[in-house]
């Protein structure tokens, strides 16, 4: 297993190009199930989860191939030959559950493994299933699999989500594009990735309005056709590298970064003493003064994103004063805390809140990645720490971040990957 060796203490200066969004791209690939024509996606990130999704769609019968020679364009298409999503793939990547709605809409049946939990929580899919039942599907669970059938096709309905679930919103939005009649999703997720998915589906011939608001309307159509769509830039990758500029006292231009996708995060940066400005197609982040402790609560968009929580935990561990972070989305997303404390941070967890007492400096140490965003919080700590940090289990990071060591080293970081 690969490891990173990081020697901290150097402020980062320079430019980093932000890639296509993992949490948009995975669903846009799944949208390829909704038509037999070719969907061409550009700005595709080179990350492990995209490779896993390609494998899943291929075993459903689709052809997913690289187009051109810049390696960031994928073409998806072909006929569905299998409506089963097997456990060995679904258990590796929870986003696999998103094939359920499209398979039901296209083939009127699907057998998808229950994803099971992951490091950050049990992550049930009950909202996905209840929503699809509202659209007329019959769903039974047996032997760890979801068996879904809609022999007469899906029929539009009004669905009220008790929680603004990102995945449930996406699954239902995609399924409803081919349902008979109108579907309303009330209390829908409002993340920018919902807008990106709706824009792509509409380019394919769907009739979706209201994406980005809590009330999405979908008028079902007979069929969708091929299209070309550029994946939005990854706002979480952008916020993550912004934390790298902030924690090292540096100055970075994040090409492709968009302030309007990171509202609550930008406000948190400014409150903590970090300057964030939009300069054309780049988000510029710099810190010259001291970091100040702040309080954060994670919430569905437009609130502070849970996917930025671990990164801010690292940042605030070296702020002046105390901070409190409350995680309201997932029940076990503080696994980076004991690793940060081994580097000299002073963090105490009380239920869903963590109290952080800022320290003057962290010290490098051997640490272990536990999940995608936690692994980057340890990199951030290593960039600020005195001495050497060795981060193991980097495969967690490779799931969702592309070429981290290259992007950071180009801005002055002393970081190298050791193949293991
Ligand atoms: C998406 O997960 C993202 N993943 C997550 O990013 C992100 O943290 C999350 O949205 C919240 O923004 C992808 O897009 C691939 P949810 P998802 O449905 O769709 C509960 C990362 O680091 N819930 O909004 O699974 C659930 O248990 C990953 O990139 C139900 O109870 O998120 C959780 O507590 C991590 N029943 C909460 O809602 C359901 O049917 C949020 O889940 C569905 C969800």
């Amino acid at each position: 297993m690969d490891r990173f060796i990081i020697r901290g203490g150097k402020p980062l200066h320079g430019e980093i190009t932000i890639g296509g969004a993992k949490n948009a791209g995975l669903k846009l690939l799944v949208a390829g199930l909704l038509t037999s024509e070719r969907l061409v996606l550009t700005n595709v990130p080179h990350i492990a989860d995209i490779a896993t999704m390609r494998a899943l769609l291929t075993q459903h019968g689709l052809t997913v191939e690289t187009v051109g020679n810049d390696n960031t364009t994928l073409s998806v298409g072909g006929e569905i030959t299998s409506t089963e999503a097997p456990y060995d793939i679904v258990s590796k990547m929870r986003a696999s559950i998103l094939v359920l709605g499209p398979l039901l809409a296209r083939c009127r049946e699907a057998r998808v493994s229950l994803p099971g939990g992951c490091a950050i929580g049990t992550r049930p899919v009950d909202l996905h299933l209840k929503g699809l039942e509202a659209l007329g599907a019959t769903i039974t669970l047996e032997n760890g699999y979801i068996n879904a059938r809609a022999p007469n096709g899906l029929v539009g309905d009004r669905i009220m989500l008790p929680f603004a679930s990102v995945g449930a919103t996406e699954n239902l939005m995609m399924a409803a594009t081919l349902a008979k009649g109108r579907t309303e999703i009330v209390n829908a997720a409002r993340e920018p990735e919902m807008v990106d998915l709706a824009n792509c589906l509409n380019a394919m011939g769907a009739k979706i309005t209201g994406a980005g608001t809590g009330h999405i309307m979908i008028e079902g159509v007979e069929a969708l056709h091929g299209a070309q769509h550029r994946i939005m830039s990854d706002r979480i990758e952008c916020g993550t590298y912004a934390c790298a500029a902030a924690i090292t006292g540096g100055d970075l231009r994040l090409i492709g970064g968009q302030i309007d996708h990171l509202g609550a995060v930008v406000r948190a940066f400014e409150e903590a003493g970090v300057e964030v400005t939009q300069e054309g197609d780049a988000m510029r982040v710099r810190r010259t003064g001291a970091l100040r402790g702040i309080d954060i609560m994670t919430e569905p968009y437009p609130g502070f994103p849970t996917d930025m929580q671990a990164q801010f935990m690292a940042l605030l561990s070296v702020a002046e004063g105390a901070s409190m972070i409350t995680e309201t989305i997932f029940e076990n997303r503080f696994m980076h805390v004991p690793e940060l404390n081994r580097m000299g941070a002073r963090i105490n967890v009380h239920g869903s809140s963590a109290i952080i007492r800022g320290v003057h400096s962290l010290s490098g140490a051997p640490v272990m990645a536990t999940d995608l965003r936690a692994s980057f919080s340890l990199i951030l700590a290593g960039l600020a720490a005195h001495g050497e940090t060795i981060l193991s289990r980097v495969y967690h990071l490779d799931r969702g971040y592309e070429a981290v060591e290259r992007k950071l080293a180009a801005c002055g970081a002393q970081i190298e990957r050791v193949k293991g």
Side-chain angles (χ1 to χ4, degrees):
M1 286 188 275
D2 292 4
R3 290 171 301 143
F4 274 174
I5 299 176
I6 304 160
R7 291 174 190 82
K10 307 238 326 195
L12 301 186
H13 291 271
E15 290 190 345
I16 290 177
T17 298
I18 302 302
K22 167 178 87 78
N23 291 349
L26 291 174
K27 295 63 175 275
L28 292 163
L29 278 171
V30 171
L33 287 169
L34 290 168
T35 175
S36 56
E37 297 183 15
R38 299 206 77 73
L39 171 62
V40 177
L41 298 173
T42 59
N43 199 31
V44 180
H46 245 242
I47 54 177
D49 273 7
I50 290 285
T52 304
M53 185 58 82
R54 287 183 66 167
L56 177 62
L57 296 176
T58 302
Q59 70 87 40
H60 282 307
L62 298 192
T63 306
V64 186
E65 52 199 4
T66 303
V67 175
N69 52 19
D70 69 351
N71 245 351
T72 64
T73 302
L74 284 181
S75 160
V76 192
E79 291 305 330
I80 296 170
T81 56
S82 162
T83 57
E84 175 159 331
Y87 175 71
D88 64 323
I89 298 182
V90 176
S91 59
K92 271 200 310 189
M93 184 182 63
R94 304 182 33 70
S96 307
I97 188 66
L98 290 161
V99 303
L100 183 58
L103 288 173
L104 261 180
R106 278 294 303 288
C107 309
R108 303 189 170 185
E109 63 170 24
R111 183 167 188 267
V112 175
S113 168
L114 277 162
C118 75
I120 63 177
T122 54
R123 304 193 64 185
V125 291
D126 55 315
L127 303 184
H128 300 240
L129 304 185
K130 287 193 186 99
L132 291 169
E133 285 175 330
L135 297 181
T138 304
I139 292 178
T140 58
L141 304 182
E142 56 194 46
N143 309 325
Y145 274 77
I146 301 160
N147 294 300
R149 297 171 44 73
N152 304 316
L154 297 174
V155 178
D157 199 348
R158 186 172 190 275
I159 300 166
M160 161 70 85
L161 289 178
F163 173 83
S165 159
V166 166
T169 300
E170 293 162 331
N171 226 332
L172 297 171
M173 187 173 12
M174 287 193 280
T177 58
L178 298 177
K180 294 181 191 66
R182 165 179 295 187
T183 296
E184 289 182 67
I185 305 174
V186 181
N187 193 30
R190 297 160 59 185
E191 277 73 0
E193 290 77 15
M194 302 309 106
V195 178
D196 207 38
L197 178 58
N199 288 343
C200 179
L201 293 170
N202 284 340
M204 295 167 69
K207 290 182 180 161
I208 301 170
T209 53
T213 74
H215 190 183
I216 300 177
M217 306 276 273
I218 305 110
E219 295 293 344
V221 296
E222 276 301 306
L224 296 186
H225 51 70
Q228 172 150 335
H229 180 80
R230 177 180 170 79
I231 299 172
M232 65 179 278
S233 73
D234 193 320
R235 61 194 175 94
I236 303 301
E237 183 191 21
C238 179
T240 301
Y241 284 113
C243 285
I247 201 170
T248 61
D251 182 347
L252 290 178
R253 279 175 47 80
L254 305 174
I255 314 293
Q258 295 181 38
I259 273 187
D260 58 357
H261 284 168
L262 280 169
V265 179
V266 173
R267 284 190 294 281
F269 274 129
E270 288 167 349
E271 206 185 324
V274 181
E275 285 175 70
V276 183
T277 50
Q278 188 75 42
E279 292 183 355
D281 70 342
M283 190 171 103
R284 185 167 178 197
V285 187
R286 61 193 134 174
R287 176 179 60 94
T288 49
L291 277 171
R292 298 186 291 268
I294 61 171
D295 292 347
I296 287 171
M297 177 180 285
T298 64
E299 294 173 301
Y301 193 89
F304 189 95
T306 176
D307 292 350
M308 284 297 304
Q309 180 258 106
Q311 299 91 310
F312 259 73
M313 181 93 68
L315 179 64
L316 296 171
S317 69
V318 290
E320 284 181 1
S323 303
M324 183 162 86
I325 294 183
T326 302
E327 172 58 61
T328 71
I329 306 294
F330 292 108
E331 65 266 31
N332 187 34
R333 205 169 195 179
F334 283 147
M335 285 174 296
H336 39 287
V337 168
E339 297 302 287
L340 289 170
N341 283 342
R342 295 184 57 249
M343 298 178 70
R346 293 179 59 206
I347 307 168
N348 292 93
V349 173
H350 300 276
S352 62
S353 291
I355 309 292
I356 305 135
R357 292 178 178 80
V359 295
H360 183 261
S361 65
L362 298 173
S363 54
V367 289
M368 188 182 295
T370 52
D371 60 87
L372 172 61
R373 308 303 175 181
S375 48
F376 216 119
S377 81
L378 299 173
I379 292 173
L380 294 169
L383 291 172
H386 294 297
E388 182 176 89
T389 295
I390 299 175
L391 174 65
S392 60
R393 301 193 179 181
V394 170
Y395 61 84
H396 286 290
L397 186 82
D398 293 334
R399 289 193 52 173
Y401 288 102
E402 180 177 354
V404 170
E405 67 273 28
R406 175 169 58 79
K407 292 185 176 186
L408 287 172
C411 297
Q414 288 189 280
I415 180 171
E416 60 177 318
R417 180 188 290 257
V418 174
K419 290 274 182 199

